Amino acid sequence: MYLMNHISLKSTFLFLLVLCSFSCENALEEEIMIYNNDFSTADLNFIENGRLFEFNGDTVLGYYNDEEVVLNLASLPEHNAIKVTIDLLLHDSWDGNPENVGGPDFWYLELDGQSVLNTTFSNSPCESTFCLYQSYPANYPRFNNPKTEALSTDLPGRCQHKNGNGWTSLYRITKIINHKQNQLSITLGDDLKQENTPEPICDESWSVSSIQVSTLTIN
Ligand SMILES: [Ca+2]
Ligand SMILES: [Ca+2]
């Protein structure tokens, strides 16, 4: 029982259009939403290492530090690509790219064990003379300002900076990946470096407020 989502179909078409710029001959024939979870019903079916907590009045998946969480989906309809959209919350003092006692701070996304995104995030201040750059929206290593492309940058921290706004950033990450098999696994994980703190999980962590997965048929 699959539900076509026409709003999503339109947004995927626009996304593809942007991806292929001027000379795209691909056409999106079908998009079927197969998984849509904002965790408001506490549904952790199909999720390995799933747990929930309240962040800023919202039930979210997490929190995690030095961990992986895996979503396994089976009995997929026929398709040749997958669209994954993740609303990712990065809490407290992520350092981005620097190679020192505090970084780099990696976060990654894999589909069936293959890397889709392997990047760093920074919640750190950025002044003209001192800036802890992040790689996102590119893969590591690239130099982008902290919070580049964040959907929201003024949320409170979760632990170390729970009394300060601007210490959780929210990103909506959308990826379209070639895929044909009738099952898939999506892995989210981190590799944080925190030799500068006695309490790592309070210093840096992440959680997920929404995951959506669609199968696509692109011709
Ligand atoms: Ca830090
Ligand atoms: Ca760090």
Side-chain angles (χ1 to χ4, degrees):
M1 196 173 67
Y2 295 107
L3 184 70
M4 275 291 279
N5 184 328
H6 292 283
I7 296 167
S8 183
L9 192 67
K10 193 176 165 194
S11 70
T12 300
F13 177 73
L14 290 171
F15 189 84
L16 285 169
L17 212 61
V18 170
L19 269 186
C20 341
S21 69
F22 303 106
S23 62
C24 192
E25 292 174 6
N26 294 338
L28 178 63
E29 301 247 318
E30 187 176 40
E31 173 169 2
I32 301 171
M33 178 82 73
I34 57 167
Y35 184 83
N36 185 5
N37 194 346
D38 68 2
F39 308 104
S40 56
T41 61
D43 176 8
L44 292 176
N45 286 322
F46 315 121
I47 297 178
E48 293 173 31
N49 198 29
R51 56 179 179 263
L52 301 167
F53 81 109
E54 286 282 316
F55 175 73
N56 206 31
D58 191 19
T59 302
V60 302
L61 182 71
Y63 42 91
Y64 297 103
N65 172 295
D66 193 22
E67 283 179 85
E68 287 187 342
V69 56
V70 183
L71 172 64
N72 295 301
L73 298 175
S75 305
L76 274 53
E78 204 167 307
H79 64 283
N80 57 21
I82 294 288
K83 183 171 83 162
V84 181
T85 301
I86 293 163
D87 284 1
L88 174 67
L89 292 155
L90 301 161
H91 308 293
D92 299 296
S93 73
W94 286 62
D95 297 284
N97 288 335
E99 301 232 8
N100 56 31
V101 293
D105 286 332
F106 286 102
W107 189 87
Y108 57 85
L109 168 65
E110 295 174 348
L111 181 71
D112 292 344
Q114 301 294 310
S115 180
V116 174
L117 179 68
N118 184 38
T119 192
T120 63
F121 289 97
S122 175
N123 276 347
S124 300
C126 183
E127 316 291 341
S128 58
T129 52
F130 180 76
C131 188
L132 299 182
Y133 294 100
Q134 68 178 33
S135 294
Y136 189 82
N139 279 322
Y140 177 83
R142 287 288 168 84
F143 289 85
N144 293 304
N145 282 343
K147 305 178 183 176
T148 297
E149 289 199 3
L151 213 55
S152 177
T153 60
D154 59 355
L155 298 166
R158 184 192 66 78
C159 186
Q160 186 187 34
H161 296 288
K162 65 182 176 195
N163 297 320
N165 286 344
W167 287 100
T168 288
S169 40
L170 168 65
Y171 292 82
R172 178 158 297 159
I173 299 171
T174 298
K175 295 287 179 185
I176 293 175
I177 310 127
N178 289 333
H179 185 276
K180 287 185 173 170
Q181 295 78 5
N182 73 347
Q183 57 185 36
L184 64 81
S185 74
I186 294 168
T187 303
L188 318 179
D190 74 83
D191 186 6
L192 295 167
K193 192 163 175 200
Q194 304 174 270
E195 293 168 6
N196 52 352
T197 175
E199 205 183 346
I201 200 158
C202 189
D203 179 63
E204 291 162 2
S205 60
W206 55 277
S207 53
V208 174
S209 63
S210 163
I211 303 177
Q212 296 178 328
V213 184
S214 301
T215 57
L216 308 181
T217 302
I218 302 168
N219 287 316

